[in-house]
Amino acid sequence: MKEKVIVRINKRRTGIGTAHDYDWKLEFYLVTGGRTIYLFTQDYTKGVYEFFRNGRSVNELRQYRKWNRNPRLDKTIEKIPLYRSYVLREIA
């Protein structure tokens, strides 16, 4: 079973007027067995979005080798197995 982690941008309006009146969030989803399952949301950072924008396989994330280059990306990749195991347990 191929599993993939994808990300979507959620842009919420916090006021009226300029582009600075938006709260940007990244929403992470696990795609497995033809289902898309919500994992978690975190603040938008360009590096994390760029890494996940085309989706990443779970196996690829397990073999991640570029640690300590982007601390925000490292923390995100560390969270994914925890959330993945939780949601898979809940839907089983």
Side-chain angles (χ1 to χ4, degrees), residues 26-42:
L26 295 175
E27 295 178 345
F28 289 82
Y29 295 87
L30 177 67
V31 178
T32 181
R35 297 170 63 180
T36 302
I37 306 164
Y38 171 79
L39 291 175
F40 60 91
T41 299
Q42 72 180 33

Side-chain angles (χ1 to χ4, degrees), residues 63-89:
Q63 299 167 1
Y64 184 69
R65 305 239 189 269
K66 297 179 182 177
W67 295 106
N68 299 321
R69 293 190 186 175
N70 181 339
R72 184 69 174 177
L73 181 58
D74 293 349
K75 288 180 184 179
T76 302
I77 291 172
E78 288 173 358
K79 286 195 301 190
I80 289 172
L82 300 172
Y83 283 91
R84 178 187 164 275
S85 64
Y86 174 76
V87 298
L88 292 178
R89 226 180 13 247

